[in-house]
Amino acid sequence: MSEISSHLADFKQSLPQSCTLVAVSKTKPVSDIQEAYDCGHLDFGENKVQELTEKAEKLPKDIKWHMIGHLQRNKVKYIVDFVHLIHGVDSFKLLKEINKRAEKVDRVVNCLLQIHIAEEETKFGLDQDELNEILNGDQLKEMNNIRIVGLMGMATNTDDDEQVRREFNGLKKRYDELKNSDHTQVQMNTLSMGMSGDYKIAIEEGSNMVRIGSAIFGARNY
């Protein structure tokens, strides 16, 4: 059993059944993804559009590709016809662009709204006012080619587990509040939080999707 398949098997045993494991394959060769795919894994995350499109062309078509990085509006058109889930929707303008491009290829694209929960300014994400503006605005009702299926957040990169827990807990509360939304374009079922360093806390706080890279594929080659 290779290291990748053994790591995947360990995760699948330890994660709750209700939790989706997104194997973050950024900077990793196609051969590593193929190896994970051959073990039966289908969910892979990339953070750069060019890398995502190049890999998608070479790999099996039933892979579920997750765009987990910051997505620029001018790059949406390259992934909109095949991407499974866009994690990082951090502005209304981006949501509108995804809807526009998805309409052209006759698809409904699943999106997560990225919420800013960390203390670091470098992290992207919506604040509470921006979130309310998107969900309560009339324009959302006219967007028939996107579906908001949940929230995503990245905790502060810190050794303070209690801070990380507080940040995840706050996001879970917002998610629960929005679950009862009556928008047809909002169907909250996914809470994407937790990476290799903090996924255990994220799961304890209610995450049902984790993004794991180095703990599956080994250290990244930049």
Side-chain angles (χ1 to χ4, degrees):
M1 200 183 210
S2 73
E3 274 197 13
I4 290 173
S5 49
S6 139
H7 290 155
L8 270 174
D10 290 347
F11 268 106
K12 292 196 169 165
Q13 274 190 313
S14 67
L15 290 175
Q17 270 193 315
S18 58
C19 186
T20 300
L21 171 62
V22 178
V24 178
S25 47
K26 62 182 184 181
T27 79
K28 293 297 172 183
V30 163
S31 55
D32 282 8
I33 302 170
Q34 185 68 52
E35 196 179 314
Y37 174 85
D38 291 341
C39 304
H41 194 75
L42 292 180
D43 290 273
F44 294 91
E46 291 285 335
N47 73 333
K48 289 196 165 68
V49 167
Q50 189 178 345
E51 195 177 341
L52 171 54
T53 53
E54 284 170 4
K55 287 175 175 175
E57 274 174 31
K58 296 172 185 165
L59 284 153
K61 295 302 167 234
D62 59 338
I63 282 179
K64 297 174 181 173
W65 290 106
H66 296 248
M67 177 62 199
I68 61 170
H70 178 61
L71 179 59
Q72 293 168 299
R73 296 203 301 278
N74 62 350
K75 301 277 178 71
V76 171
K77 59 188 176 216
Y78 300 114
I79 61 169
V80 75
D81 58 339
F82 70 88
V83 72
H84 173 67
L85 180 62
I86 296 175
H87 285 233
V89 177
D90 57 6
S91 74
F92 194 50
K93 284 179 176 172
L94 177 57
L95 201 61
K96 282 205 290 196
E97 183 66 20
I98 296 166
N99 184 68
K100 182 177 98 177
R101 296 290 177 179
E103 194 175 2
K104 288 184 176 171
V105 294
D106 197 25
R107 276 192 85 205
V108 175
V109 175
N110 290 328
C111 300
L112 302 180
L113 297 178
Q114 182 172 355
I115 309 300
H116 190 280
I117 59 170
E119 283 187 3
E120 296 146 311
E121 284 304 311
T122 50
K123 298 263 193 328
F124 293 100
L126 303 159
D127 62 27
Q128 188 64 47
D129 290 344
E130 291 167 323
L131 177 64
N132 293 341
E133 210 173 299
I134 288 175
L135 295 175
N136 301 326
D138 288 336
Q139 280 181 287
L140 185 63
K141 296 172 186 143
E142 292 153 24
M143 293 188 184
N144 298 317
N145 292 82
I146 53 110
R147 189 183 298 115
I148 296 170
V149 296
L151 303 178
M152 184 269 256
M154 294 165 76
T156 304
N157 186 7
T158 172
D159 293 332
D160 182 351
D161 286 355
E162 283 315 302
Q163 180 178 347
V164 171
R165 189 177 296 283
R166 274 196 311 275
E167 290 169 358
F168 284 150
N169 180 270
L171 187 57
K172 173 67 161 69
K173 282 180 179 156
R174 287 194 215 181
Y175 172 77
D176 288 341
E177 283 162 14
L178 296 173
K179 257 195 115 146
N180 305 317
S181 166
D182 54 2
H183 274 294
T184 48
Q185 284 83 346
V186 182
Q187 295 168 20
M188 291 276 158
N189 54 38
T190 302
L191 182 56
S192 172
M193 57 186 197
M195 300 187 288
S196 291
D198 57 18
Y199 75 92
K200 288 180 179 170
I201 300 174
I203 286 168
E204 285 167 12
E205 292 305 323
S207 172
N208 61 13
M209 181 176 280
V210 292
R211 311 177 300 276
I212 309 289
S214 50
I216 293 172
F217 294 109
R220 287 206 183 88
N221 324 309
Y222 286 108

